Amino acid sequence: MMLANRTWKRVLLTPGNTTVSSVYRGRQCFHSSTKLFRSAVPLMKEDDEPSRQSVVPRKYKFFQNVEYAKDGRVAIIRFDNPEKPVNTISFDMKDEAKLLWDSEIHDNAAVEAVVFSSGKKDGFIAGADIQDIKSGDAEEIKAVIEDGLHFFQRMKSKGVPLVSAIHGPALGGGLEWALWCDYRVCSDSDKTKLGLPEVKLGLLPGFGGTQNLHSIVGLQEALGMMLQGKEVRPKKAKKIGLVDAVVAPQSLEYVAVESALQLAEGTLKKKVKKKSIINRLLEDTSIGRHLIFKKTKEMVDKNTNGRYPSPYAIMNCVKHGLDHPSGNDKYKFEREQFSKLAETNEAAGLIGIFEGMTSLKKHNFGEKLHDVNTVAVLGAGLMGAGIAQITAEKGYKTLLKDKDNAGIGRGEKYIHENWDKKVKRKRMTNYKRNVNSSNIVPLTDDSATWPNHFNKADMIIEAVFEDIDLKRRIVKEMEEVSPDHCIFATNTSAIPIGDIALGAKRPQNIIGMHYFSPVPQMPLLEIIPHEETANYAKAAACEVGTKQGKTYVVVKDVPGFYVNRCLGPFLVEVSALVRDGASLENLDKAIKNFGMPVGPVTLADEVGVDVTSKVASFLSNADLGVRMTGGDVSLMSNMVEKGWLGKKSGQGFYTYDGKKKTINSEVKSYIETFKERDLVLSEADIQNRIISRFVNEAVKCLEDGIIEDPVAGDIGLVFGTGFAPFTGGPFRYIDSFGADKFVGMMNDFAAEHGKQFEPCQLLKDYAMAGKKFYSS
């Protein structure tokens, strides 16, 4: 259950045509000069091969020893910190780069060109070191960025061609380094991606990115890349002029060296991307630029509600640079804006989410008992089909079983429509779609061979109706046909896993894997072991979920688990606010303005009023006690009886007509029957009443050991419900709000509205001690 976390997708915008192209998978080489090529994969002559200095001691920590090609005329500098799996730009790395350049390159008259490459197998530079940014104050950060800028300008001052050879990610500071170069060559590998994703951390490109990118790809493309933080693939990068050549990985360094030398000799001329007449009018005139920035700001306003300062700072930097094109003032303005953003709560929250995602990729459950190669999915409805889709996309053999051909047909139709959309949008090749499709084996109850297929399954994921008797019956049936090592995962949204495992022959193999709808878009997976679940089953669930592209949180086996448990009081308070006179429109508006992707009314409609009602009713009868009181969840159960199931039925709280939604007179009359009084609630009243109960339940889950730590709690609600990402999640929100102030607000609500607002003990303890959930 839950709506897609569209905040990450909708926070920012796409001015102009910035659709990311699918990866170029051929072995043809794109190049601005055909003189370099006589075959698709040119072979390096033996005397041109740079000598690998494997026996020479390393001089540097962050770079391999400088190598020379073409009789010493081309220097090859490879980024490579052997202590880290990826290259990043850190304060120390910057200092070492200056030392390397000054000692070996700058005054070396023999060097006529420089190639920057990487010693990593599949990576250029992944970005800046976040820890450096977190540890420095504003003045220190400005000084470091200024020092870095001086280094890049010193590189340019040598007056020789600088070429980047990019394979794997070139993101953030990595792409900015490449932008200072005169020529960029990248591999056509699907691992290669280029982008400036700083906006996703509440920051902006600080090493000249806001000034250098638009002169290369154009103003509209540059704004789209920086404001969305989107990653550009090789073919698209060539099309927009971000790179000058796309070649096979095996040819990358050879082509970079050849290009560098020919640029130095003047036999290769860099082609400048030509603009259309329309783009020249828009991007190269003051009137056109004014229109671009006006429309861009309108879209940022619409999609962020002004909650994210970094998009505005990025626009301001670009505008300032266009108004002050010469000298270093534009770079000074950029680093000043960067340092201001680095000290904002929004940056702290978004960086916290990024670090949380990284930390949750690791588990301590040991090794799997058996490799997972074949995954069976039971149920081809929206959930089951979605699970099958993301499983097949990652290369697993996927058995998709439903009771009849009609059910399987609906599931396959859903999957193939999703893949067709990806192909149309150039996010997937036809070849990849066909490979994915071949990974799915459709089966029905009438298929004579389905037991034989399931006898080879390493994991079974059931996604059937929320009925405990049905789920127990399926467990029994699957244990009869699957091998002893097979993991059985249930996709229940609220039923305790231990209850489903009762009577099972292999309870140690049973675990919960709660996906969120729509599965292909939602990033969160809750993994729920029960008391008897073996560690190898936990490890298998974590690894499969990670491979499927999910960020997982491991939670305790209780009714509602974590996300839906927090939503229980949230939904009850929505009904209480309706009782107190809040309109449906104002409820949605208030919560959207708080920073959620959608309001609670739209949320119920998109998830399904029936699903939402079932979860709310289940939790009302569970163990939450007074925390599930104060409202009337029959508001939704009565709607289910009327057939108002939400968007899927065309009628829920809203009436749906294509993309339009309205509240009709019948729904308004129904809502009026629930109103008991009109408290003339302000937007802040609505926000604080809903969010306080939501957040209090999250802290209660930490108190009860349902989640391991605040990191899991923040990631769970941001990725599972869209809890305002700029806050960093409920726990960082409390740290920013102040625990004592938050407890005081809840106590005031409790005095006015009832004990359902009483803050949990852990929250009161933190308020009393003046503690925070995060030390920094």
Side-chain angles (χ1 to χ4, degrees):
M1 169 199 165
M2 273 314 303
L3 172 73
N5 178 11
R6 293 177 294 180
T7 304
W8 293 104
K9 297 178 182 292
R10 298 178 56 221
V11 155
L12 308 165
L13 63 151
T14 313
N17 177 19
T18 56
T19 303
V20 177
S21 299
S22 59
V23 176
Y24 176 66
R25 297 185 179 280
R27 285 293 173 257
Q28 179 182 359
C29 297
F30 291 91
H31 204 278
S32 57
S33 172
T34 55
K35 294 180 182 178
L36 283 178
F37 300 97
R38 291 295 179 266
S39 63
V41 183
L43 298 176
M44 183 173 284
K45 291 184 293 183
E46 185 175 342
D47 58 351
D48 288 338
E49 177 70 46
S51 58
R52 298 281 178 178
Q53 300 174 337
S54 57
V55 296
V56 179
R58 280 184 69 117
K59 299 180 183 178
Y60 308 104
K61 177 179 179 180
F62 299 98
F63 300 88
Q64 293 181 2
N65 293 349
V66 179
E67 296 185 13
Y68 300 89
K70 302 297 181 182
D71 298 321
R73 299 169 67 190
V74 179
I76 304 172
I77 301 174
R78 296 187 183 90
F79 310 108
D80 183 22
N81 179 359
E83 297 176 5
K84 298 288 183 69
V86 297
N87 296 317
T88 59
I89 296 178
S90 63
F91 295 173
D92 291 341
M93 186 265 212
K94 178 261 303 178
D95 292 338
E96 190 174 81
K98 290 166 57 182
L99 173 66
L100 181 154
W101 186 266
D102 286 342
S103 63
E104 300 204 37
I105 306 296
H106 196 77
D107 296 323
N108 187 342
V111 174
E112 300 176 29
V114 178
V115 171
F116 293 103
S117 186
S118 172
K120 300 296 184 189
K121 180 182 178 184
D122 292 312
F124 187 69
I125 299 177
D129 189 322
I130 294 297
Q131 295 306 315
D132 280 354
I133 297 171
K134 288 177 62 179
S135 63
D137 60 26
E139 291 305 315
E140 182 182 5
I141 289 172
K142 277 193 289 187
V144 169
I145 294 176
E146 183 177 16
D147 195 35
L149 174 72
H150 290 162
F151 165 68
F152 287 126
Q153 291 178 327
R154 182 161 173 76
M155 281 193 337
K156 298 288 285 184
S157 72
K158 181 172 172 63
V160 301
L162 307 176
V163 177
S164 289
I166 301 167
H167 172 65
L171 302 174
L175 179 57
E176 288 185 283
W177 191 303
L179 292 176
W180 283 98
C181 294
D182 304 290
Y183 204 83
R184 287 162 293 281
V185 185
C186 77
S187 77
D188 63 3
S189 167
D190 57 4
K191 295 176 181 177
T192 298
K193 50 190 178 181
L194 302 90
L196 297 174
E198 287 88 348
V199 72
K200 295 181 179 180
L201 300 179
L203 302 170
L204 56 75
F207 284 120
T210 65
Q211 308 306 315
N212 298 338
L213 181 62
H214 61 79
S215 64
I216 294 172
V217 302
L219 180 58
Q220 296 171 86
E221 288 286 357
L223 286 173
M225 284 182 64
M226 290 187 288
L227 294 176
Q228 284 189 302
K230 291 182 73 172
E231 297 169 352
V232 178
R233 298 292 177 170
K235 189 176 181 181
K236 174 74 173 181
K238 177 66 168 63
K239 180 180 179 181
I240 66 176
L242 184 57
V243 299
D244 300 282
V246 179
V247 302
Q250 302 92 322
S251 306
L252 179 65
E253 206 165 271
Y254 169 84
V255 172
V257 169
E258 290 289 323
S259 300
L261 186 60
Q262 291 188 23
L263 285 167
E265 294 172 340
T267 56
L268 172 63
K269 301 296 183 183
K270 177 180 169 67
K271 285 189 176 181
V272 179
K273 182 193 172 198
K274 292 183 179 180
K275 291 184 180 180
S276 66
I277 294 176
I278 292 176
N279 281 345
R280 286 205 301 271
L281 290 172
L282 284 171
E283 298 183 356
D284 300 338
T285 66
S286 59
I287 295 175
R289 288 172 180 172
H290 176 76
L291 179 61
I292 289 174
F293 283 112
K294 180 176 180 291
K295 292 296 183 183
T296 299
K297 183 179 182 300
E298 288 173 359
M299 295 180 72
V300 171
D301 290 341
K302 179 181 177 182
N303 292 328
T304 70
N305 285 324
R307 291 290 196 172
Y308 295 80
S310 56
Y312 300 98
I314 289 170
M315 288 189 290
N316 289 338
C317 285
V318 176
K319 282 193 287 187
H320 188 88
L322 290 170
D323 293 339
H324 304 80
S326 59
N328 284 332
D329 181 67
K330 58 187 176 182
Y331 298 115
K332 179 175 182 288
F333 186 84
E334 179 188 72
R335 64 178 171 268
E336 287 173 347
Q337 295 299 305
F338 184 97
S339 64
K340 288 178 183 177
L341 289 174
E343 294 193 318
T344 62
N345 289 331
E346 290 82 2
L350 293 170
I351 289 172
I353 292 172
F354 173 78
E355 291 182 321
M357 288 174 59
T358 303
S359 68
L360 290 174
K361 290 179 181 178
K362 303 171 185 176
H363 65 77
N364 57 357
F365 301 127
E367 295 295 323
K368 305 184 300 290
L369 186 67
H370 196 281
D371 286 340
V372 177
N373 299 307
T374 300
V375 177
V377 180
L378 295 174
L382 288 179
M383 291 298 293
I387 295 168
Q389 175 186 326
I390 63 170
T391 306
E393 285 175 352
K394 300 306 178 181
Y396 290 109
K397 181 178 180 180
T398 307
L399 314 177
L400 179 59
K401 182 177 179 291
D402 208 292
K403 63 180 181 179
D404 54 34
N405 288 327
I408 281 292
R410 286 189 294 270
E412 289 190 296
K413 182 174 182 288
Y414 171 83
I415 294 170
H416 285 100
E417 284 179 349
N418 285 341
W419 285 339
D420 288 344
K421 289 176 185 175
K422 286 189 175 185
V423 171
K424 184 177 180 180
R425 295 169 183 167
K426 297 184 178 181
R427 295 175 182 172
M428 180 181 287
T429 63
N430 279 307
Y431 171 77
K432 182 63 175 174
R433 176 183 56 186
N434 293 337
V435 169
N436 293 340
S437 184
S438 70
N439 287 334
I440 295 180
V441 180
L443 299 164
T444 69
D445 288 350
D446 294 331
S447 302
T449 59
W450 80 257
N452 293 334
H453 284 288
F454 274 66
N455 189 47
K456 300 179 180 65
D458 303 305
M459 175 179 283
I460 297 172
I461 304 173
E462 69 81 2
V464 301
F465 300 114
E466 289 286 85
D467 182 301
I468 190 168
D469 292 329
L470 173 62
K471 291 179 184 290
R472 285 174 178 169
R473 188 165 69 248
I474 287 174
V475 169
K476 182 177 180 181
E477 184 179 61
M478 291 301 106
E479 286 186 327
E480 294 298 324
V481 297
S482 60
D484 289 346
H485 72 265
C486 182
I487 308 301
F488 183 92
T490 172
N491 180 48
T492 178
S493 60
I495 302 173
I497 311 304
D499 292 351
I500 295 172
L502 281 177
K505 289 197 301 184
R506 299 190 291 270
Q508 70 276 10
N509 287 7
I510 297 177
I511 195 167
M513 292 179 71
H514 177 211
Y515 296 83
F516 292 74
S517 183
V519 177
Q521 283 79 45
M522 283 296 287
L524 185 68
L525 171 66
E526 285 184 315
I527 293 178
I528 314 105
H530 65 100
E531 288 187 358
E532 295 184 58
T533 302
N535 278 343
Y536 61 76
K538 300 173 191 175
C542 291
E543 291 179 32
V544 169
T546 298
K547 189 172 179 179
Q548 289 172 329
K550 302 302 179 187
T551 297
Y552 64 81
V553 291
V554 180
V555 302
K556 190 176 179 180
D557 186 22
V558 295
F561 314 131
Y562 173 57
V563 173
N564 284 344
R565 194 174 180 91
C566 292
L567 280 171
F570 175 102
L571 295 170
V572 171
E573 190 56 31
V574 170
S575 69
L577 287 162
V578 170
R579 178 200 62 199
D580 290 345
S583 69
L584 300 181
E585 297 96 331
N586 285 345
L587 284 168
D588 266 356
K589 181 182 177 183
I591 297 306
K592 276 201 72 176
N593 286 344
F594 174 77
M596 305 285 270
V598 296
V601 178
T602 298
L603 173 67
D605 268 6
E606 296 205 13
V607 169
V609 176
D610 53 338
V611 176
T612 307
S613 175
K614 190 162 188 175
V615 170
S617 299
F618 179 84
L619 292 174
S620 293
N621 297 318
D623 60 343
L624 278 77
V626 71
R627 302 196 307 282
M628 277 297 290
T629 63
D632 186 356
V633 293
S634 68
L635 171 70
M636 290 179 289
S637 59
N638 291 341
M639 292 176 64
V640 174
E641 292 177 7
K642 293 174 180 288
W644 299 349
L645 306 183
K647 192 173 182 179
K648 61 188 175 186
S649 67
Q651 178 65 64
F653 288 102
Y654 291 99
T655 301
Y656 295 86
D657 181 13
K659 293 185 178 180
K660 293 178 61 178
K661 65 179 185 179
T662 56
I663 299 176
N664 66 28
S665 57
E666 189 177 3
V667 172
K668 287 182 178 178
S669 297
Y670 171 70
I671 294 299
E672 283 296 324
T673 65
F674 271 83
K675 288 186 178 179
E676 297 180 1
R677 54 186 178 176
D678 189 352
L679 297 183
V680 194
L681 297 160
S682 69
E683 182 169 284
D685 290 332
I686 293 171
Q687 290 173 342
N688 289 333
R689 281 178 58 174
I690 291 177
I691 298 302
S692 64
R693 294 190 67 179
F694 198 22
V695 170
N696 183 61
E697 193 59 39
V699 180
K700 178 64 174 170
C701 286
L702 180 61
E703 178 183 313
D704 291 345
I706 294 169
I707 51 175
E708 185 175 356
D709 52 36
V711 173
D714 282 339
I715 294 295
L717 288 196
V718 170
F719 285 3
T721 72
F723 190 97
F726 65 85
T727 68
F731 293 92
R732 288 189 184 274
Y733 175 70
I734 292 173
D735 283 353
S736 177
F737 194 97
D740 55 341
K741 183 180 174 184
F742 197 87
V743 166
M745 178 180 68
M746 292 202 72
N747 284 334
D748 290 344
F749 282 145
E752 183 177 357
H753 302 293
K755 290 185 177 180
Q756 67 272 18
F757 280 98
E758 183 177 344
C760 69
Q761 188 60 49
L762 183 61
L763 191 50
K764 290 189 285 189
D765 290 345
Y766 271 59
M768 181 70 69
K771 291 177 62 177
K772 290 189 173 185
F773 291 101
Y774 292 92
S775 58
S776 62

